[in-house]
Amino acid sequence: MATDGIHSIFPPQERNYVAYYPFLRATHSFNPAVLESPVAGGCLDFVAGDLILLHSIHATGWGDGTSLSTNKRGWIPSNYCEPYDIPQVRPLLVAILNALVNPRADDGRSSQVAVTTIVSGVRNLLDGTDCLTRDSPLVRETEAINKSRRALLAEVSALVSCVKRQPPDHSISEDLVHRAHRVLVCAAAFLDTLDLDEYSYLPSPPPAEYTFETGSSVDGGGFAGPSLTFEYQPVSALARLNFLYDAALVCLGSFLNSSYVDTRAPAKLLLTTRRAAHACRELLAVVETVSSRASPIVYSLEEAKEAMYDRITAIVTAARDVVAAQCIENNGPESLLTESQNLIDAIVACVRTAGLCLAKAKYVLDRVGDFELEIDRRYLDYQLRSQLGESRRSSSKSESSYGMTAATSLDDEPWNLAPVSVSLPSDIEPEFKGKKTRTPLQDRIVFNADGQVQGGSLEALVKQLTANNAAPDALFVSTFFLTFRLFTTSTALAQALVHRFSSLSPDEPNVLAVRLRVYNALKGWMESHWRMETDNEAIPIIVDFAHGSLKSMLPFASARLLDLSKKVVDCDKPLVPRSMSKLGIDTSLGILLPDSSSVPTPIVNKLHLAIVARYVREGELPPSILDFDPLELARQVTVKESRLFCKIVPEELLGQEFSKKAGKSTAVNVKAMSSLSTDLANLIGESILAGDVPLKVRMNIIRHWIRVAEKCLELKNYNCLMAIACALQSSVILRLKKTWELLPPRYHSLFAELKGIIVYEKNYASYRTLLRNTSTPCIPYLGVYLTDLTFADEGNSDFRTFHPDMEDSSPIINFDKHVRTTKIIADLQRFQVPYRFQEVPELQAWLDVEIQRVHDMYLEDQHVLYRRSCMIEPKAGGTQAYGGIGAGIDVSAVTEGVSWSEERASG
């Protein structure tokens, strides 16, 4: 297996021969059965917490992995997992990777070497967690840790026994690999037990850039520990966040390792409190720096910071109360226990809030990127590695040692041990606490949990479009340019982009990148999203900008915009065609087109074509519908519908443009396709009800159309399938009971199956499931898309509240509404692939003539089909009242909220 591009777990100077195939841990359970796809059989079934060895990963995000619990191999969704690289178990990971995944070819004792390195990795794990011997304090005092340690050692023993039974020069067997997997699974379970133990805080070792100077300072209380030093070198924000979070956990966890009911411990408690306050203060300092780089403001991070300030205050107050209770002789044990419990509750709450601060800060760093902290700030060095080791070794030797609660000299200041002197430093009081702020327009933006824009002001959306940290995702860009005319004007957008470019100061980070993105936004708008009838009003603004500030800073960009401004003025179509079919939509089923050799030969004969041609020219001797082969008729209808469907552009589907009256709507192709479906349904009804023909012939015509519908299903023309089903289910056809009674049972069953595919129940659930697994070319039923677009438009407001807790809660653009619309249009666009069928001119001409004839007939008399139906099979009692519902067939009326009756009636 190729190892190019896979980094090693060792530094360059220590690298041997290992190629690092990452270990993953499942964060969510995954059942391939939910995929409802033929490929589900090749996927791996796993539950949350399983360890997985990743062999390779595809660009789509699917990885090839082996579950260490079941030793099964298959495809896994990588977003269900996270890297497993805990420092305490890293030597064991290296051992397994070296020995099992990439063993040395020149080593004849590969199995013995493998087991030796694995055993060494386990020993390193137990030693690093102070659980190497059964007499270790953690093992003696915690039954869960003792039990998980025994399980791990039992698996190691089984692994050793397995290799002893093999010849010395035997290669690595499959059984040996499986047992090694079991060792790693048990090692992970052992670490999980340590993490769950309330007295165990095992922070990750700090990055190598930190320096550790071992020292100690002794206070009057008579206990010692390593001192804190300062470092001046800048470190990355992410590394410092992780390190200080671990330091805060160590300090907060040290409270739980002390006995506060001991009246001799007030001084020790105060020192521990002061140290925890400093640790949390340093963590908040870095969080504050990260927060200052967030644009727009991440309010969840602001709230987490404020809560952290409150938690620190609560710890200091609770610690002061405990010390006061210890110092008052008349206080009973109940009072001291109550105050101690309050302190523990405050500590637990602070731990949770610190984790929330870390998560929110990392979310911001994911957006803005990691950065180095200022070089002139003095950062505390908490020496976690030295403290952790010293505290665990000294705790078993002397009751006077408090390990991680060691006295520390911060800023070289003397310690005041009086209870009243322990307070939260004034410089970490939240300045914004209890206040409401007014957010600038460019920062009024709202994100969801996945980081997708949900709403914002025009200025904020433009800022997101031209962000200085990373290019916006394709869905945001396409949604913005497709729908911006629904919430602003072209002139306002051009002015906002120009202002974004001009308002940048030279000392802002990545200022050149922002200016280039402003230029790219204007260029992309003019090349692929320009609409001459509405956007030409913005040309003067863009031209002035190109001649002015843009030319002085980016001459090449100025020349390009000036050239585009001349081209788009008289161009009624995009200069560079664009498609949104790849925006969050699975197009893997729609990328294959048959080659030219697969074009089928039309199923026609010359005599029949001559009859059809004579009828088209002279209007005599009309051919019977029974003369057409069902498959070829389905093909020719599909060719006609596909031509219209592929002409539909996204602008026709915005703002319910398709629901406007004829002559006032720009959705000409949508209306043409809907009209064609209605005319086709009326043609089907007219062919069944035409003339004085025997009952059996009429039944044969119904059977013929059922066969055509079956062929449409095979061709994936669901729009024509819906038209035929609507025609056969209309009241004018369905009431012909005598005719339907003659239909063979096979065709009754076939028609029932076809109806079940496009039935409206549960919002077309059956049809939607079928469409999700359909490849191109395909013509979906247009009415479902129009219904979805109508609901997306009417079911979501145009604006939303920015932030209910802010002083300025003015409405902002509901961008999520437009994202929904864009995704629906993108799903439709992925099917706009033409069919490779040979067009038969005679049949196309016949379809045109017949469709126009039926269309004119319907306009002249909308009740003609109903009268014919009643003449064929009169109603009981002899009455023939005309009902609008049975007068004709309107396919689009099947879709609720979308009707074309007004347009059809007006011609």
Side-chain angles (χ1 to χ4, degrees):
M1 187 176 295
T3 60
D4 296 341
I6 302 178
H7 62 273
S8 171
I9 202 170
F10 288 117
Q13 66 271 20
E14 299 177 11
R15 183 169 182 173
N16 295 327
Y17 53 87
V18 63
Y20 182 45
Y21 297 89
F23 287 93
L24 304 180
R25 192 160 203 183
T27 55
H28 307 281
S29 299
F30 176 69
N31 183 4
V34 303
L35 294 178
E36 298 181 357
S37 171
V39 302
C43 296
L44 190 63
D45 188 3
F46 55 83
V47 297
D50 280 0
L51 287 179
I52 298 172
L53 176 62
L54 183 65
H55 303 287
S56 63
I57 189 165
H58 192 265
T60 59
W62 286 87
D64 177 19
T66 297
S67 171
L68 302 192
S69 300
T70 63
N71 294 302
K72 294 181 179 179
R73 185 168 179 173
W75 289 103
I76 61 168
S78 60
N79 58 329
Y80 275 54
C81 308
E82 63 181 6
Y84 187 72
D85 188 24
I86 297 178
Q88 287 82 5
V89 80
R90 188 176 295 161
L92 180 58
L93 298 179
V94 174
I96 292 180
L97 291 171
N98 273 334
L100 303 184
V101 178
N102 193 17
R104 297 186 61 167
D106 58 348
D107 196 338
R109 297 174 294 109
S110 55
S111 60
Q112 293 184 0
V113 173
V115 172
T116 301
T117 54
I118 291 173
V119 171
S120 177
V122 173
R123 180 183 179 85
N124 189 295
L125 168 63
L126 296 176
D127 188 29
T129 54
D130 200 18
C131 296
L132 185 58
T133 67
R134 68 182 67 178
D135 296 327
S136 301
L138 281 176
V139 178
R140 290 202 319 266
E141 298 170 5
T142 309
E143 178 60 28
I145 294 178
N146 185 22
K147 184 180 296 185
S148 61
R149 176 181 174 274
R150 289 200 307 268
L152 173 60
L153 294 178
E155 290 296 337
V156 173
S157 176
L159 178 67
V160 173
S161 300
C162 177
V163 76
K164 283 183 177 180
R165 292 193 297 267
Q166 297 179 354
D169 58 347
H170 196 275
S171 59
I172 297 175
S173 64
E174 184 177 355
D175 183 45
L176 186 63
V177 172
H178 293 173
R179 291 189 179 278
H181 290 172
R182 286 295 308 158
V183 169
L184 184 54
V185 170
C186 289
F190 171 73
L191 277 179
D192 291 343
T193 306
L194 284 177
D195 290 337
L196 292 175
D197 178 38
E198 64 177 354
Y199 297 106
S200 176
Y201 290 87
L202 293 176
S204 303
E209 57 192 344
Y210 300 127
T211 58
F212 301 94
E213 300 177 5
T214 305
S216 63
S217 60
V218 182
D219 72 294
F223 66 97
S227 64
L228 298 183
T229 61
F230 290 89
E231 59 176 22
Y232 292 85
Q233 62 182 15
V235 294
S236 71
L238 180 59
R240 196 68 191 177
L241 267 176
N242 289 328
F243 178 61
L244 290 173
Y245 174 71
D246 291 337
L249 287 188
V250 169
C251 296
L252 294 172
S254 63
F255 279 97
L256 304 178
N257 290 331
S258 300
S259 176
Y260 303 124
V261 296
D262 186 353
T263 57
R264 298 171 295 176
K268 301 172 184 178
L269 174 58
L270 293 178
L271 289 175
T272 304
T273 304
R274 184 63 182 267
R275 187 168 182 273
H278 271 279
C280 294
R281 176 182 177 181
E282 288 299 314
L283 174 63
L284 279 172
V286 180
V287 171
E288 183 68 41
T289 304
V290 173
S291 175
S292 66
R293 296 201 172 211
S295 180
I297 297 173
V298 179
Y299 289 98
S300 58
L301 177 56
E302 299 297 323
E303 294 168 358
K305 285 194 309 179
E306 184 174 359
M308 189 66 180
Y309 287 127
D310 294 339
R311 299 293 183 265
I312 299 172
T313 305
I315 289 177
V316 173
T317 302
R320 184 186 301 159
D321 293 340
V322 171
V323 172
Q326 290 173 333
C327 296
I328 298 176
E329 297 181 357
N330 295 331
N331 272 359
E334 295 82 4
S335 175
L336 185 56
L337 287 174
T338 300
E339 300 299 341
S340 299
Q341 184 59 48
N342 293 338
L343 176 59
I344 292 175
D345 292 341
I347 293 166
V348 172
C350 188
V351 170
R352 292 174 180 171
T353 308
L356 182 61
C357 279
L358 178 69
K360 298 300 181 182
K362 285 185 175 180
Y363 166 72
V364 173
L365 287 177
D366 287 340
R367 289 172 46 193
V368 306
D370 199 4
F371 58 91
E372 286 193 348
L373 300 173
E374 296 179 5
I375 196 169
D376 57 347
R377 175 173 171 80
R378 302 174 70 200
Y379 296 100
L380 288 175
D381 186 350
Y382 280 88
Q383 305 183 30
L384 288 184
R385 184 179 296 170
S386 301
Q387 293 176 39
L388 188 61
E390 291 294 331
S391 64
R392 294 194 182 279
R393 284 190 290 271
S394 60
S395 61
S396 61
K397 297 179 181 179
S398 173
E399 294 182 0
S400 65
S401 174
Y402 269 67
M404 287 180 286
T405 65
T408 58
S409 56
L410 298 175
D411 301 72
D412 297 326
E413 296 178 356
W415 289 79
N416 185 350
L417 303 183
V420 294
S421 68
V422 182
S423 60
L424 189 66
S426 59
D427 58 340
I428 63 172
E429 287 292 338
E431 297 178 358
F432 55 87
K433 186 173 181 179
K435 297 181 180 180
K436 293 183 179 180
T437 58
R438 189 178 184 88
T439 306
L441 281 174
Q442 65 269 21
D443 291 333
R444 295 181 191 174
I445 195 166
V446 179
F447 296 89
N448 62 14
D450 297 326
Q452 301 293 325
V453 177
Q454 286 191 305
S457 64
L458 176 61
E459 293 78 5
L461 295 178
V462 168
K463 186 175 180 179
Q464 179 70 13
L465 185 68
T466 59
N468 64 355
N469 51 1
D473 63 273
L475 177 59
F476 175 82
V477 174
S478 287
T479 300
F480 183 88
F481 281 117
L482 176 64
T483 64
F484 77 86
R485 300 171 189 87
L486 299 177
F487 53 79
T488 188
T489 63
S490 301
T491 301
L493 174 58
Q495 291 172 341
L497 286 168
V498 171
H499 180 265
R500 170 69 168 156
F501 187 96
S502 305
S503 62
L504 296 170
S505 60
D507 56 344
E508 287 190 33
N510 301 326
V511 63
L512 179 59
V514 175
R515 286 173 175 161
L516 285 173
R517 287 188 180 119
V518 171
Y519 157 67
N520 286 328
L522 287 168
K523 182 172 71 74
W525 177 17
M526 300 176 76
E527 286 180 341
S528 301
H529 302 274
W530 194 265
R531 293 174 62 181
M532 181 179 63
E533 63 276 9
T534 58
D535 296 347
N536 277 357
E537 62 184 23
I539 287 291
I541 299 173
I542 298 175
V543 171
D544 290 345
F545 170 60
H547 280 302
S549 55
L550 182 62
K551 186 175 183 179
S552 62
M553 298 179 184
L554 301 171
F556 70 93
S558 172
R560 178 58 178 162
L561 289 188
L562 290 174
D563 180 59
L564 288 174
S565 64
K566 297 176 183 178
K567 295 179 179 179
V568 298
V569 172
D570 300 319
C571 186
D572 59 353
K573 59 182 180 180
L575 299 175
V576 180
R578 88 283 188 189
S579 174
M580 293 169 295
S581 60
K582 297 181 181 179
L583 306 180
I585 307 298
D586 181 12
T587 58
S588 60
L589 297 174
I591 60 176
L592 298 178
L593 286 174
D595 55 33
S596 57
S597 62
S598 63
V599 176
T601 303
I603 309 174
V604 293
N605 60 69
K606 294 182 179 180
L607 178 61
H608 183 229
L609 290 182
I611 296 175
V612 172
R614 188 180 305 112
Y615 170 73
V616 171
R617 291 193 310 268
E618 304 172 4
E620 298 179 359
L621 297 175
S624 170
I625 194 67
L626 299 176
D627 295 336
F628 297 97
D629 182 83
L631 176 57
E632 190 57 40
L633 183 57
R635 288 174 181 169
Q636 296 305 311
V637 174
T638 298
V639 168
K640 186 174 292 293
E641 287 193 318
S642 177
R643 188 182 301 114
L644 277 177
F645 178 67
C646 291
K647 288 182 180 180
I648 296 175
V649 295
E651 288 75 13
E652 298 184 45
L653 305 170
L654 295 175
Q656 298 191 56
E657 187 69 25
F658 49 81
S659 65
K660 297 179 181 178
K661 293 184 178 181
K664 297 182 179 180
S665 173
T666 60
V668 291
N669 296 302
V670 173
K671 285 186 170 293
M673 190 168 181
S674 178
S675 178
L676 174 61
S677 297
T678 300
D679 290 336
L680 182 61
N682 283 327
L683 174 61
I684 295 169
E686 196 272 344
S687 67
I688 296 173
L689 300 172
D692 184 14
V693 298
L695 202 61
K696 187 173 182 180
V697 174
R698 206 177 309 279
M699 180 273 296
N700 286 334
I701 296 175
I702 292 177
R703 180 175 62 180
H704 196 77
W705 281 115
I706 293 175
R707 294 179 62 192
V708 173
E710 182 184 23
K711 298 304 177 182
C712 286
L713 177 62
E714 295 176 3
L715 299 177
K716 293 171 288 189
N717 184 351
Y718 304 122
N719 198 69
C720 185
L721 172 62
M722 175 63 79
I724 297 174
C726 287
L728 297 181
Q729 292 182 95
S730 65
S731 61
V732 296
I733 304 299
L734 206 57
R735 63 180 301 278
L736 303 177
K737 296 183 179 179
K738 295 180 181 179
T739 306
W740 284 97
E741 288 174 355
L742 294 178
L743 189 69
R746 172 180 175 273
Y747 287 94
H748 275 289
S749 300
L750 176 59
F751 187 47
E753 293 178 8
L754 297 174
K755 289 189 298 182
I757 294 173
I758 42 87
V759 66
Y760 180 74
E761 291 180 3
K762 297 182 180 179
N763 194 18
Y764 294 103
S766 299
Y767 165 72
R768 292 179 189 272
T769 301
L770 175 65
L771 192 64
R772 278 195 296 270
N773 299 315
T774 298
S775 60
T776 58
C778 163
I779 303 178
Y781 173 44
L782 186 61
V784 171
Y785 285 108
L786 301 184
T787 301
D788 291 346
L789 289 166
T790 301
F791 286 161
D793 186 64
E794 295 184 351
N796 298 275
S797 60
D798 294 331
F799 298 94
R800 62 188 301 154
T801 303
F802 171 44
H803 199 286
D805 298 330
M806 302 302 295
E807 180 181 338
D808 182 12
S809 58
S810 57
I812 57 176
I813 299 164
N814 185 8
F815 196 74
D816 183 62
K817 170 182 178 177
H818 304 300
V819 171
R820 295 172 186 267
T821 299
T822 302
K823 287 183 176 180
I824 296 171
I825 296 174
D827 187 59
L828 179 147
Q829 276 198 318
R830 74 185 176 105
F831 293 115
Q832 288 185 311
V833 178
Y835 282 79
R836 290 180 179 266
F837 292 150
Q838 183 175 336
E839 187 174 309
V840 181
E842 294 85 354
L843 295 186
Q844 289 293 318
W846 175 81
L847 281 173
D848 291 338
V849 169
E850 289 297 283
I851 287 174
Q852 187 61 46
R853 179 180 64 82
V854 172
H855 180 80
D856 295 339
M857 176 194 70
Y858 181 83
L859 291 180
E860 182 179 350
D861 185 356
Q862 297 183 12
H863 304 290
V864 60
L865 296 183
Y866 183 76
R867 284 200 303 271
R868 289 184 184 180
S869 177
C870 291
M871 290 177 62
I872 295 172
E873 292 191 24
K875 295 180 63 175
T879 59
Q880 296 184 11
Y882 301 146
I885 191 173
I889 305 167
D890 191 351
V891 176
S892 58
V894 175
T895 306
E896 293 185 2
V898 182
S899 178
W900 308 98
S901 57
E902 295 183 6
E903 289 80 5
R904 297 278 299 125
S906 61

